[in-house]
Amino acid sequence: MPKVSTKGRLATKFLDNGRAAISKTGHIGLRGLKNHWPILLALSLLLSLMVPLYLGGLRQFTLLKHLSWWVALVIALMIFFSWLANANRLRLISKNVGKRLRITEGVAMTAAAEFAGVATPGSIGMAATYTYFFKEKGLRLGTALGMMAVIVVTDMLFYISMMPCAAVAMIFERHLKSNATSLFAVVLGVSAAGILILYALIRHYRRVYFFLSRRLTRFTWLARQRYQLTRMIVEFIQAFRLIGRMSWGRRLGLYFSAIGYWLPRYGILLVLIPLLGQTVPFAYLFLIQGVLNLGGQMFFLPGGGGGVEAGYVAFMRPYLNWQTLSFSLLVWRTSTFYWSLVIGGLFFLFKTGKAAHRLLLRKSL
């Protein structure tokens, strides 16, 4: 991973101006939505439950006979292993700034941050929660934001490295339906865009900032977003500075921890669908989860409620009947959405205490 140079007066001035802009804003975006997150969360839950119940009705629960208690245990262990992997990632990041973090503490932080992510629009609460935890460890705001950005960067690296491999593997899969070509194109397009964004931010972050800033000033209603743009770029610069100070062994540890965090989640449908007596190509299942996870982050309702379900139906309908489709959707969302709300919520309240409301509103840290 190349280091981001901070030498020279221009780079120093950019970082100083960026930190000043951060102190002026106090929070990041979605101003109009932040005070209404409980209503949006309730709406998201309603839509998330209505879609599978409308499609499959109560008859879908006859498929429970294909599952046993050990299946639920396996899925729970997959989520727990995912938390362990992320806890290791948090431990490596903390160690690089001279802070020790126990694995048990990292698991609690991960569960709490996941709740904040699925409970707020666009997952904005997750970043606030991680930053809060890092600040509680005695770190400066800039360092805490940089550590949060390391998590984002390693997640991006997982996506842009694993998704194209799955897309290529899909070419060799049998029994693919007509929508596979469109999915292939979307995944490669998003992966290519991610690579270009990372390269531009690493090598030409000043040019990226000034290019976008000049265009934002042309529109009065977008002018305020310049501060948010500055904050985002400063966070990424801080992240690459942190990664640049790591050894190659620790960088690989970060990357494989990100893999360990995401693969168990992607494996839930790979376990579930065959148990329901259905067959869906392996690579196709992997890819649609990547697309749905990414799309859920961009949907304005917490957890992507409604949007994720609609996408799941669109992608899986060519392969599954309505009953299996609705039941698999319900189980999948239970393990990836409702689980984070219920179990993660307990960790969130335990770890954040009085700061919980402020973090969910994404106020200044």
Side-chain angles (χ1 to χ4, degrees):
M1 182 74 67
K3 296 182 181 180
V4 178
S5 174
T6 55
K7 295 179 180 179
R9 288 181 299 177
L10 287 176
T12 303
K13 184 178 180 181
F14 174 80
L15 286 171
D16 291 341
N17 290 341
R19 294 189 183 99
I22 290 171
S23 65
K24 291 179 183 179
T25 57
H27 60 84
I28 301 178
L30 293 177
R31 181 187 296 267
L33 296 178
K34 70 176 188 177
N35 292 318
H36 304 292
W37 71 266
I39 298 174
L40 293 175
L41 178 59
L43 179 59
S44 180
L45 280 169
L46 181 63
L47 288 174
S48 183
L49 289 169
M50 279 183 62
V51 172
L53 291 176
Y54 173 77
L55 294 177
L58 297 179
R59 290 177 300 172
Q60 63 183 296
F61 293 104
T62 59
L63 293 175
L64 281 171
K65 63 185 179 183
H66 295 282
L67 307 179
S68 57
W69 64 269
W70 66 264
V71 178
L73 179 61
V74 167
I75 291 176
L77 287 175
M78 292 171 74
I79 299 298
F80 182 70
F81 180 83
S82 170
W83 287 352
L84 279 177
N86 196 64
N88 186 61
R89 176 165 55 168
L90 297 177
R91 184 185 65 83
L92 291 173
I93 298 171
S94 299
K95 191 174 182 180
N96 200 60
V97 294
K99 299 293 181 179
R100 294 186 60 184
L101 182 71
R102 300 188 307 274
I103 289 293
T104 53
E105 187 179 2
V107 169
M109 289 170 60
T110 300
E114 281 194 6
F115 165 80
V118 299
T120 52
S123 298
I124 56 175
M126 177 178 285
T129 303
Y130 273 130
T131 306
Y132 167 80
F133 287 144
F134 293 142
K135 282 194 65 185
E136 286 293 295
K137 300 291 288 185
L139 297 169
R140 295 183 298 107
L141 176 60
T143 303
L145 290 170
M147 293 171 69
M148 174 59 219
V150 171
I151 298 173
V152 176
V153 168
T154 48
D155 284 342
M156 288 181 66
L157 289 175
F158 166 81
Y159 190 95
I160 63 180
S161 61
M162 299 295 289
M163 290 298 152
C165 293
V168 172
M170 190 174 66
I171 298 175
F172 302 98
E173 293 272 20
R174 298 180 179 180
H175 312 300
L176 285 173
K177 306 296 182 180
S178 57
N179 60 350
T181 304
S182 300
L183 180 62
F184 179 85
V186 168
V187 168
L188 289 188
V190 172
S191 299
I195 292 172
L196 290 175
I197 290 171
L198 279 178
Y199 177 81
L201 288 173
I202 295 170
R203 291 296 188 184
H204 308 290
Y205 59 88
R206 290 196 303 273
R207 292 182 182 179
V208 171
Y209 170 75
F210 290 120
F211 173 80
L212 293 176
S213 182
R214 283 194 297 268
R215 278 146 184 80
L216 288 175
T217 55
R218 295 179 182 179
F219 306 94
T220 305
W221 59 283
L222 284 176
R224 296 179 62 89
Q225 305 304 315
R226 284 184 298 165
Y227 294 127
Q228 298 177 31
L229 173 65
T230 302
R231 183 169 190 165
M232 182 198 75
I233 294 178
V234 169
E235 288 175 15
F236 268 81
I237 294 171
Q238 292 278 16
F240 282 105
R241 289 175 65 183
L242 287 172
I243 294 173
R245 292 198 296 265
M246 293 181 179
S247 65
W248 275 103
R250 192 167 293 174
R251 293 173 192 171
L252 287 174
L254 273 180
Y255 176 68
F256 284 111
S257 294
I259 291 178
Y261 175 68
W262 286 108
L263 278 186
R265 298 169 179 273
Y266 283 54
I268 291 172
L269 284 179
L270 301 178
V271 171
L272 180 63
I273 297 298
L275 290 174
L276 298 177
Q278 302 294 316
T279 302
V280 179
F282 174 89
Y284 183 83
L285 269 181
F286 191 89
L287 286 175
I288 66 165
Q289 291 182 81
V291 172
L292 293 174
N293 284 331
L294 184 63
Q297 301 295 317
M298 300 177 181
F299 201 56
F300 75 95
L301 286 180
V308 171
E309 283 77 13
Y312 184 91
V313 172
F315 283 122
M316 297 293 281
R317 181 65 190 100
Y319 297 92
L320 304 177
N321 59 50
W322 288 114
Q323 193 172 345
T324 307
L325 178 69
S326 58
F327 183 74
S328 63
L329 171 59
L330 192 60
V331 174
W332 179 61
R333 288 294 271 169
T334 297
S335 57
T336 58
F337 180 33
Y338 313 133
W339 172 276
S340 296
L341 281 176
V342 177
I343 306 300
L346 297 176
F347 281 101
F348 179 80
L349 292 175
F350 173 74
K351 291 289 293 181
T352 61
K354 294 181 179 179
H357 187 257
R358 176 166 56 91
L359 291 169
L360 291 176
L361 291 183
R362 194 58 162 116
K363 291 184 178 179
S364 173
L365 295 168

